[in-house]
Amino acid sequence: MAPRLQLEKAAWRWAETVRPEEVSQEHIETAYRIWLEPCIRGVCRRNCKGNPNCLVGIGEHIWLGEIDENSFHNIDDPNCERRKKNSFVGLTNLGATCYVNTFLQVWFLNLELRQALYLCPSTCSDYMMGDGIQEEKDYEPQTICEHLQYLFALLQNSNRRYIDPSGFVKALGLDTGQQQDAQEFSKLFMSLLEDTLSKQKNPDVRNIVQQQFCGEYAYVTVCNQCGRESKLLSKFYELELNIQGHKQLTDCISEFLKEEKLEGDNRYFCENCQSKQNATRKIRLLSLPCTLNLQLMRFVFDRQTGHKKKLNTYIGFSEILDMEPYVEHKGGSYVYELSAVLIHRGVSAYSGHYIAHVKDPQSGEWYKFNDEDIEKMEGKKLQLGIEEDLAEPSKSQTRKPKCGKGTHCSRNAYMLVYRLQAQERPNTTIQVPAFLQELVDRDNSKFEEWCIEMAEMRKQSVDKGKAKHEEVKELYQRLPAGAEPYEFVSLEWLQKWLDESTPTKPIDNHACLCSHDKLHPDKISIMKRISEYAADIFYSRYGGGPRLTVKALCKECVVERCRVLRLKNQLNEDYKTVNNLLKATVKGSDGFWVGKSSLRSWRQLALEQLDEQDGDADQSSGKMNGNTLNKDESKEERKEEEEELNFNEDILCPHGELCISENERRLVSKEAWSKLQQYFPKAPEFPSYKECCSQCKILEREGEENEALHKMIANEQKTSLPNLFQDKNRPCLSNWPEDTDVLYIVSQFFVEEWRKFVRKPTRCSPVSSVGNSALLCPHGGLMFTFASMTKEDSKLIALIWPSEWQMIQKLFVVDHVIKIMRTEGGDANLSETQYISEPKLCPECREGLLCQQQRDLREYTQATIYVHKVVDNKKVMKDSAPELNVSSSETEEDKEEAKPDGEKDPDFNQIMHAFSVAPFDQNLSIDGKILSDDCATLGTLGVIPESVILLKADEPIADYAAMDDVMQVCMPEEGFKGTGLLGH
């Protein structure tokens, strides 16, 4: 097919030889491209937008031929959301709650914990009515135990593939969008659960946390002198094992229990010896729980950066763990088998994804729990290989060590759960209590109703799709018009009719109409010609309009377009003719005035004017094709076009008459003007005898008189005040002249404006008054002290000699007289000189001015602040320490807003990188004031540009084990503050 531009030329080629008044119906149909042949499917690969008869590639390919029923809808099969047989139920990730989901699955598969929770009494009886639960009232758990009960019941007997834990998460007050420390969550929740269950009467329920997870160890310190042994007993719910420098789990356990020597400054105070003695200290395991939680401390605090980091090192562990060598009392049953591995995928401590590999205690099969998705491992074996491959690569990545049978290696495992090995696997099935089962049944009924509803919607979509399929197959064959009566329909509507994803709307052809309410010839590229038979069916089924039949072809637009095209072809010849006519000298009064600028660009102006309609057509075509111009851009372009002068408007004065400047215009012959007028019929016309604008002549004379007057005034003032103009021989307050006791004051602004006028009197307005009110307060008092006028305020004032002041009073209107007088002291001190101002200083307003200046100093952006480090009470400035580019008033909330590229938030962590001092070790001060408020702005702290902040660093304690009282204190994560986990 021919390109679009070639089709455009072919459709209007006849206009080169046909005058506008000779346009016929045949010419009109040619302009609307009725003559083009329709395209054939298989030959034409895409739609020809320049051909209204091309109906190929408009979306018909998805309907022609046999198609699958599944393509008629975008509704997934509801059975995909159904729980598979002999599988577990997943948990929805609410944003960043994968760490919660992993622990819920691990706790659910602890059968003893699940059984104990089912035995807890519930407030569900309030919702019971007769034989069952009120249908119109949703069950809302009131306590953490009830939330866990309901979740466990759904995980056990729900028909859904996954369930929503939002009620449980909301009850804990967790932020679903923020990932927290999983290990800290486990510890805090176990503590909360233990505290909640401690109020239960049933001992099997009350003591379940201790029975399952609680062990005991002792901190033992032995004096080397007398052999006295001191014990401090402590319970534990997990063992926190350091993995740095280790490759095997057993090495981590050995280090946890290793003996530590207390010597030198770290000696132990012995109660028996009543003095400090060398001693040894270690941890002894006294009893182990049924479920042994081993926390691998992968997330450690980095003092250099002040942030946590993840240790991505491999740790080997076996499926069978014999703890007998590590306990104090031998002979018991201490053989454990691996029951769960909790994984953190990712290299950062602040991001990543949590999953869990858990063994089913009843079948012995391993499952991978990944939020909604649950995968059964093959062959009842734990498989961690794929999880290790998903970690992000690093330059120092170590190769995975080889693992023997029954052992595994992981660099992402952060918690290992071991269960005390039993002789037989539990065969008993835990029964869900009746009230919980009824709640589960009701949820299953809702799920089944939803499945039926989705299946019905799928069926309706299929039925609609089949009907649409038949409609398209029938109508598409009848779309081509051929020689029969035809109509035009927009291509966009036909494409939407064939688009299965959107419902078909009524036909709307208004965007394709011209000013005569007919089909615009320039819109033909976005229209399609179809048969009258197909058009009747479309309008009867979908409605809309207006209908564009053969009578909608617009003769007026075709005629106008024909005229424009002929002028375009004639423009080159007329351009040469006008140039030749301009060479001839105009005699008499037959000429016309034309702007020189218009003469230079008249050809371009004419071409733009003739192309204006084509430009409008191109814009509308772009809009239909999805390239709509931005509203703001189109407004700006329209405004620029309005500001551009049309032909011969460059010699118009502001009053709409002929301008007075003959340098901007030229006289052309009558023949040349006649040619130009063909292209610019609305251009302003000025015959050679036309007088210039009378108002402009008057203004010109007045302007000349004003310039002369300004020059005279400037010369007089310059002669009267020569030293003030040249800034010579000026008085100074700090070195008071001996020949006068009085000096006058004017504002420096007045002096600068007056000098501008004297230098360029024709370009600047004359200065008529001295405005000294700017130097006074509202009460009429002076705003400056004598001392400040000699220093920082000296730039705001100008001192005037008494002789100059007399001249200023003659030449200018003075609103307020301000003077400084020198007087000698009284009899008590004859040598003291005093300086008195008139008017006197206003102390209150002066104080307010100083406060405002201080506030202004504290409001700044991109200022430089210096930091000096104090070492042994001496200031040290490191060469590498950067100048801090900071803002005085930026709050923490403001920092979250988007910044332009290249602009960074002010961050005192720059101090950390410059001096290697972490934020928590920084003591900052300025002028003896400690900067300790992290929420304050620099301005409120009194830090102004060019300030020097002193930094004193706290030295870190090298060995925390040197403390006398060794206690394991678990401080909660910052992120869990304000949540229900700390409510107890």
Side-chain angles (χ1 to χ4, degrees), residues 219-232 262 268-275 277-281 284:
Y219 291 99
V220 181
T221 307
V222 180
C223 177
N224 291 354
Q225 180 67 25
C226 66
R228 178 181 180 272
E229 190 176 88
S230 172
K231 284 187 180 181
L232 180 62
L262 305 180
Y268 165 73
F269 182 83
C270 178
E271 294 286 345
N272 192 36
C273 300
Q274 285 296 305
S275 62
Q277 300 291 339
N278 292 339
T280 58
R281 175 177 291 160
R284 291 179 186 172

Side-chain angles (χ1 to χ4, degrees), residues 103-104 107 110 112-114 116-117 120 143-149 152 168 172 185-200 205-210 212-213 237 980-982 984:
F103 281 105
L104 284 174
W107 295 329
N110 187 308
E112 293 82 2
L113 176 63
R114 194 197 318 174
L117 285 171
C120 282
T143 65
I144 292 299
C145 289
E146 291 181 7
H147 276 287
L148 268 183
Q149 279 181 337
F152 283 2
F168 174 76
L172 292 177
F185 168 76
S186 171
K187 288 186 285 187
L188 291 174
F189 184 79
M190 277 291 116
S191 176
L192 175 63
L193 184 62
E194 181 182 16
D195 182 66
T196 305
L197 295 178
S198 64
K199 304 175 182 63
Q200 297 294 322
V205 178
R206 184 173 61 248
N207 301 322
I208 186 62
V209 175
Q210 292 91 333
Q212 282 297 306
F213 306 104
Y237 295 86
L981 291 171
L982 302 178
H984 65 293

Side-chain angles (χ1 to χ4, degrees), residues 840-890:
K840 294 183 178 180
L841 175 74
C842 181
E844 294 83 2
C845 294
R846 173 64 183 175
E847 184 67 24
L849 175 64
L850 293 176
C851 291
Q852 182 60 45
Q853 289 175 346
Q854 285 297 316
R855 283 195 295 270
D856 293 342
L857 278 175
R858 295 175 182 180
E859 295 180 0
Y860 52 85
T861 56
Q862 297 300 314
T864 299
I865 306 295
Y866 299 96
V867 179
H868 287 218
K869 185 179 180 182
V870 179
V871 179
D872 296 331
N873 296 324
K874 295 181 180 179
K875 296 180 184 178
V876 176
M877 185 66 185
K878 288 195 68 173
D879 295 336
S880 61
E883 298 174 351
L884 298 182
N885 259 326
V886 294
S887 168
S888 69
S889 58
E890 202 164 5

Side-chain angles (χ1 to χ4, degrees), residues 406 566 602 707 730 747 968:
R566 286 180 63 83
W602 79 267
E707 286 184 4
R730 307 312 307 153
S747 69
Q968 197 171 27

Side-chain angles (χ1 to χ4, degrees), residues 215-221 229-236 239 256-258 281-287 326 328-329 966-968:
E216 189 177 36
Y217 53 54
Y219 291 99
V220 181
T221 307
E229 190 176 88
S230 172
K231 284 187 180 181
L232 180 62
L233 301 181
S234 178
K235 292 182 179 181
F236 69 89
L239 298 180
F256 181 77
L257 302 173
K258 75 176 181 179
R281 175 177 291 160
K282 64 179 178 179
I283 295 175
R284 291 179 186 172
L285 292 177
L286 303 180
S287 65
Y326 306 106
E328 184 176 26
H329 306 295
V966 180
M967 293 291 290
Q968 197 171 27

Side-chain angles (χ1 to χ4, degrees), residues 250-301:
T250 51
D251 297 336
C252 301
I253 298 174
S254 298
E255 187 205 14
F256 181 77
L257 302 173
K258 75 176 181 179
E259 188 176 88
E260 175 190 3
K261 292 183 179 181
L262 305 180
E263 298 174 343
D265 294 337
N266 197 27
R267 287 183 299 169
Y268 165 73
F269 182 83
C270 178
E271 294 286 345
N272 192 36
C273 300
Q274 285 296 305
S275 62
K276 284 191 174 184
Q277 300 291 339
N278 292 339
T280 58
R281 175 177 291 160
K282 64 179 178 179
I283 295 175
R284 291 179 186 172
L285 292 177
L286 303 180
S287 65
L288 297 177
C290 298
T291 302
L292 181 61
N293 293 326
L294 301 179
Q295 299 273 18
L296 305 183
M297 305 305 290
R298 287 202 176 274
F299 305 113
V300 296
F301 188 76

Side-chain angles (χ1 to χ4, degrees), residues 360-600:
D360 181 3
Q362 294 179 311
S363 66
E365 296 174 324
W366 282 91
Y367 290 83
K368 181 172 75 173
F369 292 87
N370 184 5
D371 293 331
E372 297 93 342
D373 301 321
I374 297 174
E375 180 184 351
K376 181 181 177 182
M377 301 289 102
E378 296 180 2
K380 294 187 177 183
K381 292 182 180 180
L382 174 62
Q383 300 173 17
L384 295 177
I386 189 172
E387 307 307 333
E388 303 307 313
D389 295 339
L390 290 173
E392 298 178 21
S394 61
K395 294 180 180 178
S396 59
Q397 181 173 321
T398 56
R399 185 176 297 179
K400 181 180 179 180
K402 294 182 179 180
C403 300
K405 186 177 181 180
T407 61
H408 304 276
C409 294
S410 175
R411 61 178 169 188
N412 290 323
Y414 68 92
M415 181 172 174
L416 303 175
V417 180
Y418 282 90
R419 293 272 298 170
L420 199 59
Q421 195 174 49
Q423 298 297 327
E424 298 179 357
R425 298 195 183 279
N427 295 323
T428 57
T429 302
I430 298 178
Q431 295 295 328
V432 176
F435 73 93
L436 286 174
Q437 185 58 48
E438 191 167 348
L439 291 171
V440 174
D441 292 341
R442 189 171 73 168
D443 183 74
N444 286 339
S445 297
K446 290 182 179 179
F447 175 68
E448 296 301 332
E449 291 174 2
W450 176 83
C451 289
I452 294 172
E453 183 182 351
M454 290 296 104
E456 182 60 28
M457 290 177 63
R458 280 168 60 92
K459 183 177 180 302
Q460 291 177 4
S461 297
V462 170
D463 293 341
K464 289 181 181 179
K466 288 181 177 179
K468 184 64 173 286
H469 186 208
E470 295 300 323
E471 178 186 74
V472 172
K473 285 201 299 184
E474 174 194 359
L475 283 180
Y476 185 75
Q477 303 301 326
R478 299 295 301 270
L479 277 183
E484 61 183 288
Y486 60 85
E487 293 190 25
F488 285 93
V489 177
S490 75
L491 170 62
E492 183 182 23
W493 185 88
L494 283 174
Q495 290 172 332
K496 289 183 177 179
W497 172 63
L498 293 168
D499 185 0
E500 60 177 341
S501 63
T502 57
T504 305
K505 296 181 179 180
I507 301 171
D508 186 4
N509 290 326
H510 288 90
C512 306
L513 301 181
C514 66
S515 58
H516 312 104
D517 288 332
K518 294 184 178 181
L519 178 58
H520 199 296
D522 291 325
K523 305 285 187 177
I524 196 63
S525 60
I526 57 173
M527 304 298 289
K528 292 300 174 185
R529 191 171 73 101
I530 64 173
S531 66
E532 189 179 57
Y533 171 83
D536 288 339
I537 295 178
F538 282 149
Y539 283 105
S540 64
R541 292 182 181 177
Y542 304 106
R547 298 187 68 162
L548 303 177
T549 64
V550 67
K551 295 180 181 179
L553 305 183
C554 186
K555 182 176 180 179
E556 290 86 347
C557 287
V558 174
V559 170
E560 176 61 20
R561 182 71 177 276
C562 177
R563 185 189 70 80
V564 169
L565 290 175
R566 286 180 63 83
L567 283 177
K568 277 187 178 181
N569 294 332
Q570 189 181 337
L571 179 61
N572 290 333
E573 291 298 326
D574 288 344
Y575 179 71
K576 295 177 182 178
T577 302
V578 170
N579 280 347
N580 291 329
L581 291 173
L582 291 177
K583 295 176 182 178
T585 304
V586 181
K587 298 180 180 179
S589 59
D590 294 336
F592 289 83
W593 289 112
V594 180
K596 291 182 179 180
S597 176
S598 294
L599 279 177
R600 287 193 297 268

